[in-house]
Amino acid sequence: MNSHEIDYRLLGEEMQAVEIELDPMETVVAEAGSLMMMDMGIEMNTIFGDGSNQSKGLFDKFLSAGKRMLTGESLFMTTYTNTGQGKKKAWFASPYPGKIIPMDLSEMGGKLVCQKDSFLCAAKGVSVGIEFQKRIGTGLFGGEGFIMQKLEGDGMAFVHSGGMIIEKQLQSGETLKVDTGCLVAFTNTVDYDIEYIGGLRNAVFGGEGVFLAKLTGPGKVFIQSLPFSRLADRIIASAPKMGGKGREEGSVLGGLGRLLDGDNRF
């Protein structure tokens, strides 16, 4: 094993957190800002990149951190090391409602490709990098652009998603069509492409976009029921506009209805 062996426990149902148990001198690497709490005896350090190869020179570390910026993540990551006696715990939470998916990379061929902002934390030794889409069409219309995130190594990694998760095991040659925003992650053996949905009415009035992700096995695919972008669009559409009204204000009660249900802001 090149990665640290960590134990974990998922907490909650729809607003999940993950509890990581560390033996002495074991380390977990996490996205900046994802920590909930930690035991005394755990030392926190901010690093460039993912800390998977500390023998790199300064230039290589800057290059690694710069690649992370292309995936929409921070230049920095944070390590949490148990420097005390006995087992210690640290807790991490996802940034929006949904599920945390534990990924044992040693059982997934050592590599997982996922959407750009889905990584939460991992055992030290797991490499967090970028995956360029080789097909121009996939990069332009695939929903995630040319760049996706890749997790490599043989340790545990944790990915967060919106809503509930459906895990599909595709057989060789089996194809699954997925809304591009609902795709969370897939193993390295899955072929990823995009496909035009066909039909002018479908494209213009179907409400599902013009393209679908086309995933061909063999391999494992993880699908989310509520992409954060979809949730954010609904919140923005329902929010009161500056000097205007919220979506619910077309009702008979209007502002009085908000006052009765406790929202008495004017």
Side-chain angles (χ1 to χ4, degrees):
M1 289 284 291
N2 294 318
S3 303
H4 289 195
E5 295 186 62
I6 58 176
D7 299 316
Y8 72 93
R9 182 166 65 103
L10 293 180
L11 306 173
E13 294 297 332
E14 305 305 327
M15 306 283 284
Q16 286 192 322
V18 59
E19 175 188 275
I20 304 293
E21 186 177 81
L22 300 172
D23 291 328
M25 300 314 297
E26 280 186 346
T27 300
V28 62
V29 181
E31 283 295 342
S34 62
L35 177 71
M36 285 178 60
M37 55 184 173
M38 62 183 180
D39 288 337
M40 289 289 292
I42 293 181
E43 181 178 305
M44 182 177 69
N45 284 299
T46 301
I47 60 172
F48 275 114
D50 53 28
S52 59
N53 189 351
Q54 291 299 297
S55 62
K56 291 180 180 179
L58 184 60
F59 175 78
D60 290 330
K61 290 181 180 179
F62 272 104
L63 183 61
S64 175
K67 288 179 180 179
R68 282 177 40 77
M69 287 192 68
L70 292 177
T71 66
E73 305 290 1
S74 167
L75 276 171
F76 302 94
M77 295 186 75
T78 309
T79 64
Y80 301 86
T81 303
N82 179 3
T83 58
Q85 301 294 321
K87 296 179 181 293
K88 305 292 182 182
K89 294 178 181 179
W91 291 261
F92 304 90
S94 55
Y96 51 84
K99 298 289 186 181
I100 295 176
I101 317 168
M103 306 284 196
D104 188 345
L105 297 181
S106 65
E107 297 178 356
M108 298 182 175
K111 180 179 177 181
L112 184 78
V113 180
C114 53
Q115 64 178 352
K116 290 185 292 186
D117 57 351
S118 61
F119 173 72
L120 182 66
C121 61
K124 185 177 181 181
V126 171
S127 171
V128 184
I130 59 176
E131 178 81 0
F132 288 97
Q133 296 303 319
K134 298 179 178 63
R135 300 183 181 92
I136 294 179
T138 306
L140 290 176
F141 307 111
E144 296 297 335
F146 282 104
I147 303 170
M148 297 182 75
Q149 214 165 36
K150 66 178 178 181
L151 308 177
E152 293 181 296
D154 55 6
M156 290 297 303
F158 299 88
V159 172
H160 66 81
S161 60
M164 64 172 288
I165 283 294
I166 298 176
E167 183 178 325
K168 297 281 289 185
Q169 179 66 53
L170 300 181
Q171 303 302 314
S172 181
E174 182 181 0
T175 297
L176 184 69
K177 296 179 182 180
V178 182
D179 181 274
T180 54
C182 292
L183 179 61
V184 177
F186 52 90
T187 53
N188 191 39
T189 55
V190 174
D191 181 69
Y192 174 48
D193 201 355
I194 55 102
E195 182 178 273
Y196 177 59
I197 62 173
L200 181 61
R201 282 183 297 179
N202 289 337
V204 177
F205 305 110
E208 300 299 335
V210 181
F211 297 92
L212 292 174
K214 182 180 178 182
L215 304 159
T216 304
K220 190 172 291 187
V221 178
F222 299 87
I223 311 297
Q224 62 184 348
S225 65
L226 183 61
F228 178 70
S229 58
R230 188 177 296 176
L231 175 63
D233 287 343
R234 290 300 181 94
I235 293 174
I236 292 171
S238 299
K241 304 300 187 292
M242 183 68 69
K245 298 180 178 181
R247 175 178 290 182
E248 79 287 350
E249 292 189 32
S251 66
V252 176
L253 293 178
L256 178 60
R258 292 203 316 278
L259 182 63
L260 292 175
D261 68 16
D263 185 3
N264 57 357
R265 292 170 295 174
F266 294 98

